[in-house]
Amino acid sequence: MYYLILFMSLGLIGCSSMQKMAVRNISPLFIEGSNLLTSERSWDLFRESAPGNLKFLETIYLQDKSNHELLATLVKGYAGYAYAVPETLAMGDRLEGLEESPNQKYAIAIYTKSMDYGLDYLQHKGIKRRDLLETDEKALLKLLNQKLNKKDHSAVLFTAQSWGSLINLQQDNVALVSHVPKVKLLFDWVCQKDPDIENGVCEIFFAQYEASRPRMLGGNPEKAKQLYGEAIRKRPRHLLMRLGLIQYSLLPAFDQEAYEKEAVLLREEFAKWEDINRDSLEDNSEYKAVEHLNLFNAIARKRFEFIEKNKKRIFEG
């Protein structure tokens, strides 16, 4: 109802400059609200509510396309939703052996939307699409340093995430796969400057990067396990780290013994997380320490459910 009243109020403002002023005044509230979505602990609720919230932010942005903060929020929002929902469901489809996955197609569509907004953002900052595709890595790195600053880190990070995910979901597209070095460069640029950005996205990317590529293309499964281990030790309550080890290192290797050991630990961590959330009505510091990880852990739990459901098929064929 609040959104509806606000939207109608904006529509009643006749002057476009006044509309932009109104949008500028209220957009920080919605940006802050979108950043708090990581505290949502229900995957199903996030799945149902996120699309409407994103479309609303998109509507606000269309009233003021020079609002770069709102544009960066859309880049992040669509990338996050694609990762949390359709990519998670597509993983379930793959584990069940489905040859055609509508969820994978949906994930590609949402990641494409995020990346398109990311390219728009970079264009506003003086970096064009052809700069990303045609400029050599040394020159591109120089361009990033010249044109961008700390305020741009999140938009660059999630543009890179969407780009990399589009490649990962379409590995039969040779032209797209050739873009991997540019994706890596963008992650390197952001993560060297801000290694703790967005609750461990850098650790997730670098471990998955080593695990996902074949050895002949430079992949290093042992290094991936090492990176996941370091990430788990650094962020023990961030359960996507442990889920990533299972999903990208243990399952492809069909290492059932290691899987069972990690699965026991992950179940224990889920139980601890649920206990903390159960006590959240009490104003305790332990809950505040994990609140920002709720959505990540909810995604991890949903993906783990798909793995457990298909465990026999995965390891026994």
Side-chain angles (χ1 to χ4, degrees), residues 42-70:
S42 168
W43 182 87
D44 292 296
L45 182 56
F46 179 80
R47 177 188 183 183
E48 296 298 324
S49 62
N53 290 331
L54 285 169
K55 289 305 294 183
F56 179 78
L57 285 175
E58 206 166 25
T59 302
I60 296 296
Y61 168 68
L62 292 175
Q63 304 297 316
D64 180 14
K65 288 190 175 183
S66 60
N67 191 329
H68 298 156
E69 282 188 283
L70 203 49

Short mmCIF file of all heavy atoms in Angstrom, two decimals, residues 42-70:
data_model
loop_
_atom_site.label_atom_id
_atom_site.label_comp_id
_atom_site.label_asym_id
_atom_site.label_seq_id
_atom_site.Cartn_x
_atom_site.Cartn_y
_atom_site.Cartn_z
N SER A 42 13.76 -16.52 4.80
CA SER A 42 12.88 -17.45 4.09
C SER A 42 13.16 -17.36 2.59
O SER A 42 12.89 -16.35 1.96
CB SER A 42 11.41 -17.14 4.36
OG SER A 42 10.57 -17.86 3.48
N TRP A 43 13.68 -18.45 2.02
CA TRP A 43 13.94 -18.49 0.58
C TRP A 43 12.64 -18.34 -0.19
O TRP A 43 12.58 -17.62 -1.20
CB TRP A 43 14.64 -19.79 0.21
CG TRP A 43 15.00 -19.90 -1.24
CD1 TRP A 43 16.14 -19.46 -1.84
CD2 TRP A 43 14.21 -20.50 -2.28
NE1 TRP A 43 16.11 -19.74 -3.20
CE2 TRP A 43 14.93 -20.38 -3.48
CE3 TRP A 43 12.96 -21.12 -2.30
CZ2 TRP A 43 14.44 -20.87 -4.71
CZ3 TRP A 43 12.47 -21.60 -3.51
CH2 TRP A 43 13.21 -21.47 -4.69
N ASP A 44 11.58 -18.98 0.26
CA ASP A 44 10.30 -18.93 -0.44
C ASP A 44 9.71 -17.52 -0.43
O ASP A 44 9.17 -17.05 -1.44
CB ASP A 44 9.30 -19.91 0.18
CG ASP A 44 9.71 -21.35 -0.04
OD1 ASP A 44 9.75 -21.77 -1.20
OD2 ASP A 44 9.99 -22.05 0.95
N LEU A 45 9.82 -16.84 0.70
CA LEU A 45 9.31 -15.47 0.77
C LEU A 45 10.11 -14.55 -0.15
O LEU A 45 9.54 -13.70 -0.84
CB LEU A 45 9.36 -14.96 2.21
CG LEU A 45 8.82 -13.54 2.44
CD1 LEU A 45 7.38 -13.42 1.95
CD2 LEU A 45 8.90 -13.17 3.92
N PHE A 46 11.43 -14.73 -0.16
CA PHE A 46 12.26 -13.92 -1.06
C PHE A 46 11.89 -14.20 -2.51
O PHE A 46 11.78 -13.28 -3.33
CB PHE A 46 13.74 -14.24 -0.83
CG PHE A 46 14.66 -13.47 -1.74
CD1 PHE A 46 14.99 -12.15 -1.47
CD2 PHE A 46 15.18 -14.06 -2.89
CE1 PHE A 46 15.83 -11.43 -2.31
CE2 PHE A 46 16.01 -13.36 -3.75
CZ PHE A 46 16.33 -12.04 -3.45
N ARG A 47 11.67 -15.46 -2.83
CA ARG A 47 11.30 -15.83 -4.20
C ARG A 47 10.02 -15.12 -4.64
O ARG A 47 9.92 -14.67 -5.78
CB ARG A 47 11.10 -17.35 -4.28
CG ARG A 47 10.65 -17.84 -5.64
CD ARG A 47 10.28 -19.33 -5.58
NE ARG A 47 9.90 -19.83 -6.89
CZ ARG A 47 9.47 -21.07 -7.12
NH1 ARG A 47 9.39 -21.94 -6.12
NH2 ARG A 47 9.14 -21.45 -8.34
N GLU A 48 9.05 -15.03 -3.75
CA GLU A 48 7.76 -14.43 -4.09
C GLU A 48 7.81 -12.91 -4.11
O GLU A 48 7.14 -12.27 -4.93
CB GLU A 48 6.69 -14.90 -3.10
CG GLU A 48 6.41 -16.40 -3.15
CD GLU A 48 5.88 -16.85 -4.50
OE1 GLU A 48 5.12 -16.08 -5.12
OE2 GLU A 48 6.25 -17.96 -4.93
N SER A 49 8.58 -12.32 -3.22
CA SER A 49 8.52 -10.86 -3.05
C SER A 49 9.53 -10.08 -3.88
O SER A 49 9.29 -8.93 -4.25
CB SER A 49 8.70 -10.51 -1.57
OG SER A 49 9.97 -10.92 -1.11
N ALA A 50 10.68 -10.67 -4.16
CA ALA A 50 11.75 -9.93 -4.82
C ALA A 50 11.37 -9.38 -6.20
O ALA A 50 11.69 -8.21 -6.50
CB ALA A 50 13.01 -10.80 -4.92
N PRO A 51 10.71 -10.14 -7.07
CA PRO A 51 10.39 -9.59 -8.40
C PRO A 51 9.57 -8.31 -8.35
O PRO A 51 9.85 -7.36 -9.09
CB PRO A 51 9.62 -10.73 -9.09
CG PRO A 51 10.10 -11.97 -8.41
CD PRO A 51 10.32 -11.57 -6.99
N GLY A 52 8.57 -8.27 -7.48
CA GLY A 52 7.75 -7.06 -7.36
C GLY A 52 8.55 -5.88 -6.87
O GLY A 52 8.40 -4.75 -7.38
N ASN A 53 9.43 -6.11 -5.89
CA ASN A 53 10.26 -5.03 -5.38
C ASN A 53 11.21 -4.51 -6.45
O ASN A 53 11.44 -3.30 -6.57
CB ASN A 53 11.05 -5.51 -4.16
CG ASN A 53 10.17 -5.74 -2.95
OD1 ASN A 53 9.14 -5.08 -2.80
ND2 ASN A 53 10.55 -6.67 -2.09
N LEU A 54 11.76 -5.43 -7.23
CA LEU A 54 12.69 -5.02 -8.29
C LEU A 54 11.97 -4.22 -9.37
O LEU A 54 12.50 -3.21 -9.87
CB LEU A 54 13.36 -6.25 -8.89
CG LEU A 54 14.45 -6.90 -8.03
CD1 LEU A 54 14.85 -8.25 -8.59
CD2 LEU A 54 15.68 -5.99 -7.94
N LYS A 55 10.79 -4.67 -9.74
CA LYS A 55 10.03 -3.92 -10.76
C LYS A 55 9.66 -2.54 -10.26
O LYS A 55 9.63 -1.56 -11.03
CB LYS A 55 8.77 -4.69 -11.16
CG LYS A 55 9.02 -5.94 -11.98
CD LYS A 55 9.84 -5.66 -13.24
CE LYS A 55 9.12 -4.80 -14.24
NZ LYS A 55 9.91 -4.60 -15.47
N PHE A 56 9.37 -2.44 -8.96
CA PHE A 56 9.05 -1.13 -8.40
C PHE A 56 10.28 -0.21 -8.48
O PHE A 56 10.18 0.95 -8.90
CB PHE A 56 8.59 -1.26 -6.95
CG PHE A 56 8.28 0.06 -6.32
CD1 PHE A 56 7.09 0.72 -6.60
CD2 PHE A 56 9.19 0.67 -5.47
CE1 PHE A 56 6.80 1.95 -6.04
CE2 PHE A 56 8.91 1.90 -4.90
CZ PHE A 56 7.72 2.55 -5.19
N LEU A 57 11.45 -0.72 -8.09
CA LEU A 57 12.68 0.08 -8.19
C LEU A 57 12.96 0.47 -9.63
O LEU A 57 13.42 1.59 -9.91
CB LEU A 57 13.85 -0.72 -7.63
CG LEU A 57 13.94 -0.87 -6.11
CD1 LEU A 57 15.09 -1.78 -5.74
CD2 LEU A 57 14.11 0.48 -5.45
N GLU A 58 12.66 -0.44 -10.54
CA GLU A 58 12.86 -0.16 -11.96
C GLU A 58 11.96 0.99 -12.41
O GLU A 58 12.39 1.88 -13.16
CB GLU A 58 12.54 -1.44 -12.76
CG GLU A 58 13.24 -1.54 -14.09
CD GLU A 58 13.13 -2.95 -14.64
OE1 GLU A 58 12.19 -3.68 -14.29
OE2 GLU A 58 13.99 -3.31 -15.44
N THR A 59 10.72 0.99 -11.94
CA THR A 59 9.78 2.06 -12.28
C THR A 59 10.27 3.40 -11.76
O THR A 59 10.20 4.42 -12.45
CB THR A 59 8.39 1.74 -11.70
OG1 THR A 59 7.94 0.49 -12.22
CG2 THR A 59 7.39 2.82 -12.07
N ILE A 60 10.78 3.40 -10.52
CA ILE A 60 11.33 4.62 -9.94
C ILE A 60 12.53 5.10 -10.77
O ILE A 60 12.67 6.29 -11.07
CB ILE A 60 11.73 4.39 -8.47
CG1 ILE A 60 10.50 4.07 -7.62
CG2 ILE A 60 12.45 5.60 -7.91
CD1 ILE A 60 9.50 5.19 -7.54
N TYR A 61 13.39 4.16 -11.13
CA TYR A 61 14.59 4.52 -11.91
C TYR A 61 14.22 5.15 -13.24
O TYR A 61 14.88 6.11 -13.70
CB TYR A 61 15.46 3.28 -12.13
CG TYR A 61 16.55 3.51 -13.15
CD1 TYR A 61 17.61 4.39 -12.89
CD2 TYR A 61 16.52 2.87 -14.39
CE1 TYR A 61 18.60 4.61 -13.83
CE2 TYR A 61 17.50 3.09 -15.34
CZ TYR A 61 18.54 3.96 -15.05
OH TYR A 61 19.52 4.19 -16.00
N LEU A 62 13.18 4.67 -13.89
CA LEU A 62 12.78 5.19 -15.19
C LEU A 62 12.33 6.65 -15.11
O LEU A 62 12.27 7.34 -16.13
CB LEU A 62 11.68 4.32 -15.80
CG LEU A 62 12.12 2.91 -16.20
CD1 LEU A 62 10.92 2.10 -16.69
CD2 LEU A 62 13.19 2.96 -17.29
N GLN A 63 12.01 7.11 -13.90
CA GLN A 63 11.66 8.52 -13.72
C GLN A 63 12.91 9.40 -13.63
O GLN A 63 12.81 10.62 -13.76
CB GLN A 63 10.85 8.70 -12.42
CG GLN A 63 9.60 7.85 -12.33
CD GLN A 63 8.59 8.19 -13.41
OE1 GLN A 63 8.34 9.36 -13.67
NE2 GLN A 63 8.00 7.17 -14.01
N ASP A 64 14.07 8.77 -13.42
CA ASP A 64 15.30 9.54 -13.24
C ASP A 64 16.49 8.67 -13.63
O ASP A 64 17.17 8.09 -12.78
CB ASP A 64 15.42 10.01 -11.79
CG ASP A 64 16.68 10.83 -11.54
OD1 ASP A 64 17.32 11.25 -12.53
OD2 ASP A 64 17.02 11.05 -10.37
N LYS A 65 16.76 8.58 -14.92
CA LYS A 65 17.79 7.69 -15.41
C LYS A 65 19.21 8.17 -15.12
O LYS A 65 20.18 7.46 -15.40
CB LYS A 65 17.63 7.46 -16.92
CG LYS A 65 16.43 6.61 -17.27
CD LYS A 65 16.46 6.23 -18.73
CE LYS A 65 15.34 5.26 -19.07
NZ LYS A 65 15.38 4.83 -20.47
N SER A 66 19.33 9.37 -14.56
CA SER A 66 20.66 9.84 -14.16
C SER A 66 20.97 9.48 -12.71
O SER A 66 22.01 9.87 -12.18
CB SER A 66 20.75 11.36 -14.34
OG SER A 66 19.78 12.02 -13.55
N ASN A 67 20.08 8.74 -12.08
CA ASN A 67 20.27 8.32 -10.69
C ASN A 67 21.14 7.06 -10.68
O ASN A 67 20.66 5.93 -10.77
CB ASN A 67 18.91 8.04 -10.04
CG ASN A 67 19.02 7.85 -8.54
OD1 ASN A 67 20.02 7.38 -8.03
ND2 ASN A 67 17.97 8.24 -7.83
N HIS A 68 22.43 7.25 -10.56
CA HIS A 68 23.37 6.14 -10.68
C HIS A 68 23.30 5.19 -9.48
O HIS A 68 23.56 3.98 -9.63
CB HIS A 68 24.80 6.68 -10.84
CG HIS A 68 24.98 7.50 -12.07
ND1 HIS A 68 25.96 8.45 -12.21
CD2 HIS A 68 24.28 7.53 -13.24
CE1 HIS A 68 25.87 9.03 -13.40
NE2 HIS A 68 24.85 8.49 -14.03
N GLU A 69 22.98 5.70 -8.31
CA GLU A 69 22.84 4.83 -7.14
C GLU A 69 21.70 3.84 -7.33
O GLU A 69 21.82 2.65 -7.01
CB GLU A 69 22.61 5.67 -5.89
CG GLU A 69 23.84 6.33 -5.33
CD GLU A 69 23.56 6.97 -3.99
OE1 GLU A 69 22.96 8.06 -3.97
OE2 GLU A 69 23.93 6.38 -2.96
N LEU A 70 20.60 4.33 -7.86
CA LEU A 70 19.46 3.45 -8.11
C LEU A 70 19.78 2.44 -9.20
O LEU A 70 19.40 1.27 -9.12
CB LEU A 70 18.24 4.29 -8.51
CG LEU A 70 16.86 3.69 -8.30
CD1 LEU A 70 16.68 3.11 -6.91
CD2 LEU A 70 15.79 4.74 -8.57
#
